Every structure is written in structure tokens, then in C-alpha cells.
Amino acid sequence: MTVDPDSRLQLLLSERENALGAWLEANVQLSSALDHLRQLRATKAEALKARWISPHQLAQFRRWEKEMVKPTDYRTIANYTQHRNIIASIDQRWDGVITVAQVEVDRATNDLAVATADLLSTMPVALASELTGLSVRRLSTIARATANTHPAS
């Protein structure tokens, strides 16, 4: 054996510490991104509620818009038109910001998956499970998914 066993052990410990640190950082980033997205969605829901748009009315409006089937009686048409203007203004205000937040969540999710794969490359699954709090099954699923999308990782 030409490599000093103590230096090999130190290198392994260092790799594990770095991988765990990267995983913890990615986990915090994902948690933060998810909290931000939840907050934005709740704020949009509150804006709709403040304008007297109930979840039922919003669902009905979305169904009308999606199916392009508009109401036929005068009272419902007037209600639809009023709601369309209110909902469109709220959508315009919040949807762009929510989309950006969703992109951040997607990026953070991907970063965590890559960090998980890196973590698993430095230690046994059982140890990674104990350190991260994730089940062995969940870690294995993440590792497989990451291997399929990031073959170089």
C-alpha cells in the first residue's frame, strides 16, 4: 500500500463533510424557496378574497376560460365579465412573480437532488439516511432520478 491510510481517511472524512455541507445548504435553499412560493400564493389568494372572489367562483371562472364555454344567461354573463376583469388584474399582478418563484423551487429541487447524489457517492446510504433524516428509499429514488438526468454527476 503506497498511500498513507491516515491521509486516505482524512480525505474521505473531508469529502463527506463537504458533501454533507453542500446537501444541508441545498436543503435550506429549497426550504426557503418553497416558503417564498407558499407566501406568494397565499398573498394572491388573499387578494382574490379581498375582491370577493371565492375559491368556487375562481374555479368556475377557470373552467369557463379553459373550456372556452361561456355562460349564456344575462346575469351570469354580467357576473362572469365582472369577475374576468378582477381576476385578470390579480393574475397579471401575481402570476409572473409566482412563476419566477416556481422556477427557483425547481432549481433548488434539482440542486438538492444533485447534492443528494454527491452525498451518496461519499458515504453509505444508511449513513446518509441518518444524517439527512430521509429514508433509504427516498434517497435511492433521488439518486436514481439524478443519475437519469445527470449522467456525469
Side-chain angles (χ1 to χ4, degrees):
M1 200 153 98
T2 60
V3 178
D4 179 18
D6 288 337
S7 66
R8 173 92 173 107
L9 182 59
Q10 289 300 327
L11 179 63
L12 179 61
L13 288 173
S14 175
E15 287 174 356
R16 285 182 178 180
E17 286 177 5
N18 290 338
L20 181 59
W23 186 90
L24 291 170
E25 184 177 323
N27 192 43
V28 167
Q29 290 297 324
L30 177 58
S31 179
S32 175
L34 285 169
D35 287 345
H36 185 239
L37 180 61
R38 277 188 219 106
Q39 181 183 21
L40 290 172
R41 286 181 175 162
T43 303
K44 180 181 177 182
E46 286 298 318
L48 288 164
K49 186 177 177 181
R51 298 293 303 267
W52 302 99
I53 305 291
S54 71
H56 172 75
Q57 290 168 321
L58 181 61
Q60 186 177 34
F61 173 81
R62 298 286 189 219
R63 203 169 33 256
W64 286 336
E65 289 294 304
K66 179 181 169 192
E67 297 171 5
M68 301 306 285
V69 176
K70 306 297 186 234
T72 55
D73 66 279
Y74 175 76
R75 185 174 172 201
T76 309
I77 290 171
N79 196 11
Y80 168 78
T81 303
Q82 177 187 7
H83 288 150
R84 182 182 63 204
N85 292 333
I86 293 169
I87 293 168
S89 69
I90 292 172
D91 282 349
Q92 183 178 9
R93 164 69 176 93
W94 291 102
D95 285 354
V97 180
I98 289 172
T99 299
V100 170
Q102 182 62 56
V103 168
E104 288 300 317
V105 167
D106 294 344
R107 184 177 298 131
T109 300
N110 184 57
D111 291 348
L112 183 61
V114 170
T116 301
D118 290 344
L119 184 69
L120 291 172
S121 72
T122 65
M123 64 182 67
V125 175
L127 179 58
S129 175
E130 186 175 329
L131 292 173
T132 63
L134 297 174
S135 69
V136 170
R137 182 177 181 171
R138 180 72 181 132
L139 286 169
S140 298
T141 301
I142 292 169
R144 276 194 308 276
T146 305
N148 290 337
T149 59
H150 297 89
S153 291

